[in-house]
């Protein structure tokens, strides 16, 4: 092997069993005994030395164990836990020798409760309902507050609700019904938010389409999802043309419709959103109202979003970050500030608001040219691993801003875990935090067993936030959306493919992928 001073060249872990007979040395009337000594250094990274008692030591039955470890790599608590797990395994194999090794549980007795209930799950006070119902309640509380603003204008909560009602009735006239998929392709303006809410009020699920997408991507989305209608406007309609797809031009919708509207239930679809395609195929994921409302309320509470607070909505509606920016803000009584992208700060020269949410790489670009007058209460970084160096730069540039790392997938809503970065060590990436209320997070091995704290395993997500699966792709859905062995009968969990580990503080740290996905 190539020599290195970082570790022993042949192996790093040694298990030795000392059962050889010790020689007895007598010199005249002088008897000798063996006394273990230590050099004070570790010969290997980790050495377990098991010593058999001498035959004449009947008063000390059993074996003695010694562990020698490199303190640059391990601390005493970690070694003590290794010893505790090892002795539990020995007890199991001695008392039940026929036990298959793969079924032996290495967790200590208290750890099942700790990993499943204390760390992997948090209670929630959020109501599982529908998006229209939550926003209608907020509109009744603060009808004159600004709900959405942009360079094109603004809408109060009452105006937003009324405009969404108009669009909903127009959709119903186009034979849209519960569980219909309706595409929305509009410029970034308050009308876009009203259209999304209108689709949801009609009981349909919205399919976000960015009009700026290349023609082949637009064609793929429209053919794969087969929406009943495309909600667009006269200026944009020409870019979203597909055979057999009808258009509803919102700039032609002016009168309020009449008659009852179907009321969606929490288990009905809220949106169909396509993954980024990093695994090679773009797949549509169906997310229900229960998932959106639970996680949006939990995130609003965790990020202290409040009435009158401003959220910068800089993300394309084709990505699930936008669902958080829109829904979490509106259910908390805030204002959605729609911009083209997060670099709008540099173009404006000033901004003061509550929440900014974006991917770390975009925020890193923003830090290179911050405006002189910028106030951000909370910065939420999601969508990519968050380097510790970027967190340090953020703290230097915006010392009064709370920084959160948010973690999630399209398949289980935008975020299922998050944590404030109040302290940060020299790790290369920031921890992804703790689960949102109502969400279950499991770190499992290949046999779906819980792994101990500190051990890398694959992350599985369970709870009402889990999507239905991949649209019209049962073969791809089955290996990713699997039965939850820790939940109630019929519950499912999503296999993320991310490798993580629990810290001593009960936070999750991302360590890599279980596959070759970029």
């Amino acid at each position: 092997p190539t020599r290195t001073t970082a570790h022993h060249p042949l192996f790093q872990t040694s298990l030795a069993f000392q059962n050889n007979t010790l020689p007895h040395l007598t010199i005249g009337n002088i008897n000798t005994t063996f006394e273990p000594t230590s050099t004070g250094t570790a010969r290997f990274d980790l050495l377990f030395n098991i010593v058999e008692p001498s035959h004449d030591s009947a008063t000390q039955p059993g074996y003695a164990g010694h562990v020698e470890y490199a303190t640059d790599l391990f601390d005493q608590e970690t070694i003590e836990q290794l010893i505790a797990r090892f002795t539990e395994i020995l007890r199991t194999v001695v008392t039940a020798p026929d036990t298959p090794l793969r079924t032996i549980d290495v967790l200590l007795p208290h750890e099942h409760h700790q990993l499943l209930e204390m760390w992997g799950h948090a209670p929630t006070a959020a109501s599982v309902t529908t998006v229209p119902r939550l926003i209608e309640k907020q509109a009744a509380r603060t009808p004159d507050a600004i709900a959405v603003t942009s360079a094109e204008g603004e809408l109060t909560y009452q105006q937003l609700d009324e405009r969404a009602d108009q669009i909903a009735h127009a959709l119903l006239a186009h034979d849209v019904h519960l569980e219909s998929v309706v595409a929305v392709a509009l410029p970034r303006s308050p009308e876009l938010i009203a259209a999304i809410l209108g689709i949801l009020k009609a009981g349909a699920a919205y399919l976000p389409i960015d009009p700026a997408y290349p023609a082949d991507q637009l064609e793929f989305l429209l053919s794969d999802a087969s929406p009943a209608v495309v909600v667009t406007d006269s200026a944009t309609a020409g870019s979203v043309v597909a055979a057999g797809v009808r258009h509803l031009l919102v700039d032609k919708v002016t009168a309020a419709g009449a008659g009852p509207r179907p009321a969606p239930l929490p288990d009905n679809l809220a949106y169909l959103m396509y993954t980024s395609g990093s695994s090679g195929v773009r797949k549509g994921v169906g997310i229900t109202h229960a998932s959106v409302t639970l996680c949006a309320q939990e995130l609003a509470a965790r990020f202290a979003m409040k009435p009158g607070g401003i959220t910068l909505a800089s993300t394309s509606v084709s990505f699930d970050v936008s669902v958080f920016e829109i829904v979490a803000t509106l259910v908390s009584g805030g204002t959605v500030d729609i911009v083209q992208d997060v670099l709008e700060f540099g173009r404006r020269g000033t901004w003061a608001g509550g929440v900014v949410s974006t991917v770390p790489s975009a925020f890193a670009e923003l830090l290179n040219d911050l405006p002189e007058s910028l106030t951000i209460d909370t910065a939420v970084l999601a969508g990519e691993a968050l380097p510790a160096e970027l967190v340090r730069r953020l703290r230097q540039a915006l010392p009064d801003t709370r920084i959160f790392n948010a973690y999630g997938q399209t398949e289980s809503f935008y975020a299922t875990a998050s944590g404030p970065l109040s302290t940060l060590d020299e790790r290369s990436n920031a921890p992804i935090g703790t689960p949102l209320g109502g969400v279950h997070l499991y770190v499992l091995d290949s046999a779906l067993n819980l792994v101990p704290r500190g051990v890398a395993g694959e992350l599985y997500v369970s709870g009402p936030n889990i999507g239905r699966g991949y649209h019209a792709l049962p073969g791809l859905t089955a290996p990713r959306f699997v039965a939850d062995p820790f939940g109630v009968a019929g519950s499912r969990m999503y296999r993320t493919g991310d490798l993580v580990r629990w810290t001593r503080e009960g936070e999750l740290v991302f360590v890599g992928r279980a596959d070759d996905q970029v």
Side-chain angles (χ1 to χ4, degrees), residues 211-505:
Y213 272 3
D216 58 339
Q217 289 194 35
L218 292 174
E219 183 179 355
F220 167 76
L221 292 177
L222 293 172
S223 62
D224 190 72
S226 300
V229 181
V230 176
V231 177
T232 184
D233 60 17
S234 301
T236 311
S239 62
V240 282
V241 176
V245 176
R246 295 175 296 163
H247 286 176
L248 172 65
L249 303 179
V250 290
D251 49 334
K252 305 298 184 183
V253 176
T254 56
R261 290 187 286 104
L265 299 174
D267 288 336
N268 285 129
L269 277 185
Y271 61 82
L272 181 66
M273 195 164 292
Y274 278 72
T275 63
S276 58
S278 54
S279 61
V281 180
R282 297 197 70 182
K283 304 177 289 291
V285 180
I287 301 293
T288 66
H289 284 268
S291 175
V292 178
T293 55
L294 169 70
C295 293
Q297 291 174 90
E298 281 290 325
L299 289 169
R302 189 165 288 200
F303 302 150
M305 301 171 76
K306 55 188 183 297
I310 301 174
T311 298
L312 190 79
S314 61
T315 309
S316 167
V317 291
S318 297
F319 294 99
D320 54 0
V321 180
S322 66
V323 185
F324 156 70
E325 293 173 344
I326 298 167
V327 180
T329 304
L330 293 178
V331 300
S332 59
T335 299
V336 181
D337 184 9
I338 300 177
V339 297
Q340 294 304 311
D341 53 60
V342 75
L343 300 182
E344 179 74 15
F345 287 143
R347 294 188 285 269
R348 286 190 184 182
T350 181
W351 193 82
V355 177
V356 172
S357 173
T358 187
V359 294
S361 55
F363 220 116
E365 185 69 21
L366 172 66
L367 288 179
N368 295 328
D369 188 25
L370 278 180
E372 293 183 3
S373 177
L374 178 61
T375 302
I376 300 174
D377 295 335
T378 304
V380 183
L381 288 306
E384 301 167 352
L386 176 55
E389 178 58 30
L390 176 57
V391 176
R392 294 188 191 94
R393 290 179 59 201
L394 265 167
R395 284 199 184 127
Q396 291 175 354
L398 302 167
D400 298 326
T401 298
R402 296 190 309 156
I403 305 170
F404 280 83
N405 193 13
Y407 168 86
Q409 299 82 24
T410 304
E411 291 85 348
S412 57
F413 190 66
Y414 149 76
T416 51
S418 73
L421 302 177
S422 54
T423 59
L424 195 66
D425 59 20
E426 296 301 318
R427 289 173 291 207
S428 58
N429 289 325
I432 60 178
T434 57
L436 298 182
V439 174
H440 294 263
L441 299 181
Y442 311 126
V443 185
L444 308 178
D445 62 17
S446 58
L448 300 186
N449 298 313
L450 294 167
V451 301
R453 186 200 72 198
V455 176
E458 188 168 355
L459 180 62
Y460 289 75
V461 183
S462 179
N465 57 295
I466 298 301
R468 285 190 183 175
Y470 297 121
H471 176 67
L473 295 171
L476 293 179
T477 297
R480 284 292 180 183
F481 295 84
V482 298
D484 181 356
F486 309 101
V488 298
S491 59
R492 299 173 308 137
M493 58 183 184
Y494 171 66
R495 180 184 181 186
T496 68
D498 289 330
L499 298 177
V500 299
R501 61 176 176 83
W502 289 108
T503 67
R504 283 185 182 150
E505 297 75 29

Side-chain angles (χ1 to χ4, degrees), residues 5-310:
T5 59
H7 55 76
H8 192 281
L10 297 181
F11 58 90
Q12 290 79 53
T13 303
S14 172
L15 172 64
F17 180 50
Q18 309 292 356
N19 64 341
N20 53 301
T21 301
L22 296 175
H24 185 73
L25 179 64
T26 301
I27 305 175
N29 62 354
I30 300 175
N31 289 325
T32 60
T33 59
F34 281 86
E35 183 70 22
T37 61
S38 173
T39 62
T41 61
R43 289 163 287 179
F44 307 103
D45 292 354
L46 189 61
L47 167 62
F48 274 70
N49 204 4
I50 312 300
V51 180
E52 188 178 54
S54 60
H55 297 294
D56 58 357
S57 60
T59 58
Q60 295 180 344
Y63 295 88
H66 306 273
V67 179
E68 181 181 281
Y69 61 94
T71 54
D72 284 344
L73 302 177
F74 303 100
D75 57 28
Q76 184 171 334
E77 183 182 349
T78 299
I79 299 303
E80 288 173 347
Q81 284 214 348
L82 278 176
I83 294 170
R85 298 185 202 285
F86 184 48
T87 53
E88 284 295 319
I89 292 172
L90 292 179
R91 288 190 184 97
T92 301
V93 299
V94 168
T95 56
D98 294 331
T99 303
L101 290 176
R102 67 179 178 275
T103 66
I104 296 177
D105 194 349
V106 299
L107 294 181
L108 300 177
H110 72 281
E111 288 185 304
H112 284 274
H113 176 72
Q114 182 185 60
L115 295 174
L116 288 177
E117 301 300 331
M118 296 176 62
W119 289 357
H121 174 63
T124 179
S127 56
V128 176
T129 178
T130 65
V131 175
R133 197 168 302 162
L134 280 179
I135 297 178
E136 285 166 359
K137 288 181 178 179
Q138 185 60 49
R141 287 192 293 266
T142 57
D144 298 325
I146 301 301
V148 189
T149 185
S150 76
E152 283 71 34
E154 62 185 30
L155 292 174
T156 65
Y157 273 87
Q158 182 174 337
Q159 290 169 337
L160 174 65
D161 193 53
E162 291 173 351
R163 183 57 176 155
D165 278 335
Q166 291 179 342
I167 295 172
H169 283 290
L171 285 169
L172 294 174
H174 279 67
D175 297 325
V176 168
H177 50 78
L178 283 173
E179 296 284 320
S180 290
V181 175
V182 174
V184 56
L186 287 167
R188 297 182 60 78
S189 68
E191 190 80 326
L192 171 62
I193 311 302
I196 290 174
L197 183 55
I199 293 170
L200 298 177
K201 279 174 172 280
Y206 77 92
L207 168 69
I209 292 181
D210 191 333
Y213 272 3
D216 58 339
Q217 289 194 35
L218 292 174
E219 183 179 355
F220 167 76
L221 292 177
L222 293 172
S223 62
D224 190 72
S226 300
V229 181
V230 176
V231 177
T232 184
D233 60 17
S234 301
T236 311
S239 62
V240 282
V241 176
V245 176
R246 295 175 296 163
H247 286 176
L248 172 65
L249 303 179
V250 290
D251 49 334
K252 305 298 184 183
V253 176
T254 56
R261 290 187 286 104
L265 299 174
D267 288 336
N268 285 129
L269 277 185
Y271 61 82
L272 181 66
M273 195 164 292
Y274 278 72
T275 63
S276 58
S278 54
S279 61
V281 180
R282 297 197 70 182
K283 304 177 289 291
V285 180
I287 301 293
T288 66
H289 284 268
S291 175
V292 178
T293 55
L294 169 70
C295 293
Q297 291 174 90
E298 281 290 325
L299 289 169
R302 189 165 288 200
F303 302 150
M305 301 171 76
K306 55 188 183 297
I310 301 174

